[in-house]
Amino acid sequence: MDLLCDAYGNASDDDQDQPKRQKLAPSSSNPPKPYLPPPIDHCSQLQTESSLPGRYISKRQRALLAVDPTVPDPPLVSPSVTLSGSILDNDIPPSILSLLRNKARSCQNLNLIPERLSVTLSGHTKAVNAIQWSPPYAHLLASAGMDHLVCIWNVWNRDQKKARVINFHNAAVKDVKWSQQGHSLLSCGYDCKSRLIDVEKGLETQVFSEDQIVGVVKFHPENSNLFLSGGSKGHIRLWDIRTGKVVHSFNRNLGPILDVEFTINGKQFISSSDVSGSNVSENSITVWDVSRQVPLSNQVYVEAYTCPCVRRHPFESTFVAQSNGNYIAIFATNPPFRLNKYKRYESHGVSGFPIKCNFSLDGKRLASGSSDGFIYLYDYQSSNVVKKIKTSDQACIDVVFHPVIPNAIASCSWDGSISIFE
């Protein structure tokens, strides 16, 4: 990601230009270099000789003639990737660029609430299952679609907002996650594979094959070389990118894995599985010990509802679970992982859709999608609805707060649309 590193490393427009270093004249004490004749262009010589009638050209010479030094090498881009725009921030409005490059300044008013639709992103032809902002390069947004595509969006670019169209998956894509460094992207889907992609070069660098549909992936918060994957057969695996192999497996006869989430220290993680085909609600939400590969509790949520999403609070020892009972439940991340029976986040609908929720930067807001096409913003402490934002006529599937700009929020819908509100 040299291009992105250079872009974010550039000084702002207000900075003073530094004086250029002057070239030093060669010292008179150094003797002059002897004259060297220009190099012989053997290709040109061979081409001249080959034009003579009756001239024999050897097999080695014919191979040399086939190489044209004037023709540049083709770009190192896979045919499965369409480079339709730039991933740089060169063509972003100055007001947005200033916020992106001055993170401390943009976080002063964390209590701001999105008020208006600012950007609409169109390109997916079917439902979008997941979206995520790039942590270090926050002008980029990734989306995973049922149309087999992963798209990289340069959200505020004034010319071309769709920067990359990645078509390595041959089936619907369920989830997408940026690496912590922002250099690569991890996606998974119905083709039973997780794929690691170099975003700048548009190359697939690794493929992690499984015996199940992979529905969710999650990078370890402390070690970006590790990630969890969960799939349709109830298997959860911890992969090491460096070796391309499974480090740990977590199998306890679970239903299809819907979501996974690490705790803050990364020593435990929470999984959510589908219990709709069972008469018992055990294993709906399970807390695991990563190193020992054992469940710490599988009776966290005893109500007979499937939870398509789990998210931990950014600071407090709590996590929430989106329930098909049309509410969000809240739990403690410390044993015995109790459900808070006195507080829940209601009013939105799930209705069997894989509706997701997410916390704001400071943890004071909780945003949820809804089957009625709205974003619901809740006050975390009181659980009251702060604002409703209309996104689409179809279900709003995922909603994510911007990692730098506190009043920016992105959402994706079942109709394939992606919206940015500020």
Side-chain angles (χ1 to χ4, degrees), residues 19-25:
K20 296 182 179 179
R21 182 178 296 177
Q22 297 180 352
K23 295 183 179 179
L24 298 176

Side-chain angles (χ1 to χ4, degrees), residues 185-332:
L185 196 68
L186 185 65
S187 60
C188 66
Y190 282 87
D191 58 357
C192 303
K193 291 177 174 61
S194 301
R195 301 175 184 270
L196 192 66
I197 301 160
D198 185 305
V199 175
E200 182 179 5
K201 296 180 180 179
L203 294 176
E204 184 179 75
T205 57
Q206 281 179 280
V207 179
F208 308 89
S209 299
E210 301 199 32
D211 59 349
Q212 60 179 354
I213 296 171
V214 187
V216 58
V217 287
K218 181 79 69 172
F219 280 105
H220 192 282
E222 301 293 335
N223 187 346
S224 59
N225 292 310
L226 303 176
F227 74 90
L228 280 174
S229 70
S232 59
K233 293 186 178 180
H235 302 309
I236 304 173
R237 297 180 171 106
L238 183 66
W239 295 83
D240 191 325
I241 292 175
R242 294 164 294 190
T243 63
K245 296 181 179 180
V246 176
V247 178
H248 296 316
S249 294
F250 307 85
N251 301 321
R252 284 296 187 275
N253 298 319
L254 302 176
I257 303 301
L258 304 178
D259 204 3
V260 292
E261 176 76 324
F262 282 100
T263 56
I264 294 179
N265 56 19
K267 295 181 179 180
Q268 298 89 29
F269 73 89
I270 306 123
S271 69
S272 171
S273 58
D274 190 349
V275 295
S276 59
S278 173
N279 292 326
V280 295
S281 58
E282 291 183 4
N283 300 324
S284 173
I285 294 178
T286 306
V287 182
W288 300 82
D289 185 286
V290 174
S291 60
R292 293 189 294 159
Q293 307 168 56
V294 296
L296 301 177
S297 176
N298 66 341
Q299 296 182 344
V300 178
Y301 187 57
V302 296
E303 299 185 27
Y305 291 119
T306 293
C307 299
C309 173
V310 289
R311 293 288 184 268
R312 65 169 171 83
H313 193 277
F315 308 113
E316 297 187 6
S317 299
T318 60
F319 72 92
V320 296
Q322 181 77 268
S323 171
N324 268 321
N326 295 327
Y327 64 89
I328 299 174
I330 182 170
F331 306 83

